[in-house]
Amino acid sequence: LMMLSGTTLVGAEALMARYEGAVGKGDLFGDQAAGAAERKVDIKGPVNILLVGIDPRDDKTPPLSDSIMVLHVPAEMDRAYLFSMPRDLYVEIPPFEKANWNGGRGKLNGAMSHGSIVPGGNPDPARGFELLAMTVQQITGIERFDAGAIINFTGFRKIVDAMGGVTMNIEREVRSEHREPDGTHRKGNPNGSGYVGPQAVYPKGEQHLEGWQALDYVRQRYPKNGVPDGDYGRQRHQQQFVKAMANQALSSDVVTNPIKLDRVLRAAGESLIFSGRGNTIADFGFALKDIRPDSITMVKLPGENIGTGSAYQGERLVPEAQDFFRSLQSGTVDAFLLEHPDFRNKEQ
């Protein structure tokens, strides 16, 4: 959102400076370690950006990466591909000396948790992001991320509310596992696991979602709640919502309303930890000025379970996923998607 807004914001220098000042900065890639300086370079394609959503319980609990997305922009800089990494992907997490992590196999979302450990102190999400980025690079073959951001889910809710809610098309009815129709948390089941009581319902068709509803909807992942393909359905819903959010952020309702635009940008800035590796958000706004929401293709990485029931270990990608990763490097994603239409995620 912040980068795609570049063409709108670059003319409003005062507002852009205010927004830049509100965004939390972090050493997400370890660029400042051992006195190394971030390098500022002209932004040219291809560009790869790692986006991570977390839901921290408290300052003392190592965070898990609940949502992991990669935005890939090819050399032409006129379109983009957004794909999600399954959070349960069973992978090799490399050693990370800063957090006293010796390396090992586990679920991808645990990489951030392992990397965030600060001996003698509270966990550091920025440090966890660094190990997660290393792990994703190892899986995908991406040599270097050009930028990255962490957003916490409380902040996500604030951004949606600052926009006045977001309208999107819901592909099928989904019932909330966690929330009642008024947004309060459902009560725990006194006779076992799960929850009891009325459920918030998100009907099929065009719906306008408030912040708490948007967050609740994109977190649902159980077949019993109307998401038959589990976490892959949740990934698709998250991508669909991001695209709807981008469309609305660039609509006249937001960009021609200085008060609303300022409110949205301030909420986003206060909710983010960002690293452009020496480049600012405005720099990326200029570089990606030709990309609009309708030129972003949403990609699914198909996978399968490793084990079932109590023997479940996580997910593994189908072999063709490696061909997709190779197409990122060779600039042939469009050709790959023509041959593998099942890798395209449903837009609506």
Side-chain angles (χ1 to χ4, degrees), residues 153-165:
F153 286 166
T154 299
F156 172 91
R157 192 165 60 237
K158 290 180 180 178
I159 295 169
V160 175
D161 284 335
M163 294 175 69

Side-chain angles (χ1 to χ4, degrees), residues 1 10 26 37 69 93 103 135 196 236 262 268 281 287 297 316 321 331 334:
L1 286 175
V10 290
M69 294 185 184
I93 303 173
T135 308
V196 296
R236 182 174 64 256
D262 180 67
I281 293 167
T297 299
R316 63 185 165 211
D334 288 332

Side-chain angles (χ1 to χ4, degrees), residues 2-3 23-33 38 49-54 63 96 98 111-112 115-116 124-135 137 144-151 271-279 284:
M2 57 188 180
M3 294 170 186
V23 175
K25 306 300 193 298
D27 185 18
L28 301 184
F29 299 99
D31 293 324
Q32 297 166 19
E38 291 182 336
I49 301 167
L50 181 60
L51 309 168
V52 177
I54 63 173
F96 192 59
K98 294 180 184 178
M112 190 163 198
S116 71
D124 179 6
R127 180 179 288 187
F129 186 101
E130 184 180 350
L131 179 57
L132 177 63
M134 291 167 56
T135 308
Q137 287 175 211
R144 181 181 187 273
F145 283 108
D146 302 283
I150 303 172
I151 183 167
S271 306
L272 287 169
I273 301 175
F274 172 78
S275 171
R277 311 197 82 167
N279 291 294
F284 279 98

Side-chain angles (χ1 to χ4, degrees), residues 10-215:
V10 290
E13 295 182 8
L15 184 59
M16 194 67 220
R18 183 180 178 190
Y19 178 43
E20 286 278 4
V23 175
K25 306 300 193 298
D27 185 18
L28 301 184
F29 299 99
D31 293 324
Q32 297 166 19
E38 291 182 336
R39 54 175 186 165
K40 180 179 176 69
V41 297
D42 291 337
I43 301 173
K44 298 179 181 178
V47 171
N48 293 291
I49 301 167
L50 181 60
L51 309 168
V52 177
I54 63 173
D55 186 19
R57 298 178 185 176
D58 53 61
D59 292 339
K60 297 182 179 180
T61 303
L64 295 170
S65 46
D66 285 338
S67 177
I68 307 166
M69 294 185 184
V70 176
L71 185 73
H72 172 77
V73 181
E76 296 83 359
M77 302 285 278
D78 60 353
R79 62 196 187 281
Y81 306 90
L82 182 68
F83 62 93
S84 299
M85 301 294 296
R87 49 175 275 170
D88 281 1
L89 202 62
Y90 193 66
V91 298
E92 186 69 34
I93 303 173
F96 192 59
E97 186 176 348
K98 294 180 184 178
N100 293 333
W101 167 250
N102 294 323
R105 294 192 66 78
K107 293 180 181 178
L108 178 59
N109 71 337
M112 190 163 198
S113 179
H114 294 306
S116 71
I117 299 301
V118 177
N122 289 339
D124 179 6
R127 180 179 288 187
F129 186 101
E130 184 180 350
L131 179 57
L132 177 63
M134 291 167 56
T135 308
V136 174
Q137 287 175 211
Q138 185 173 268
I139 298 165
T140 61
I142 293 173
E143 293 184 2
R144 181 181 187 273
F145 283 108
D146 302 283
I150 303 172
I151 183 167
N152 66 64
F153 286 166
T154 299
F156 172 91
R157 192 165 60 237
K158 290 180 180 178
I159 295 169
V160 175
D161 284 335
M163 294 175 69
V166 170
T167 300
M168 72 172 294
N169 190 68
I170 292 178
E171 62 186 23
R172 59 182 297 156
E173 181 180 285
V174 172
R175 300 171 301 282
S176 175
E177 175 72 6
H178 310 100
R179 299 288 172 179
E180 295 190 0
D182 63 357
T184 57
H185 207 289
R186 297 177 71 204
K187 296 177 176 61
N189 184 357
N191 300 314
S193 61
Y195 305 93
V196 296
Q199 297 170 275
V201 177
Y202 305 102
K204 178 180 178 179
E206 187 173 272
Q207 305 296 334
H208 188 76
L209 305 180
E210 298 177 25
W212 74 265
Q213 293 173 312
L215 180 57

Side-chain angles (χ1 to χ4, degrees), residues 253-272:
D253 179 56
V254 174
V255 298
T256 63
N257 184 332
I259 295 175
K260 180 177 283 189
L261 179 60
D262 180 67
R263 189 164 60 235
V264 171
L265 297 181
R266 295 290 292 180
E270 293 166 1
S271 306
L272 287 169

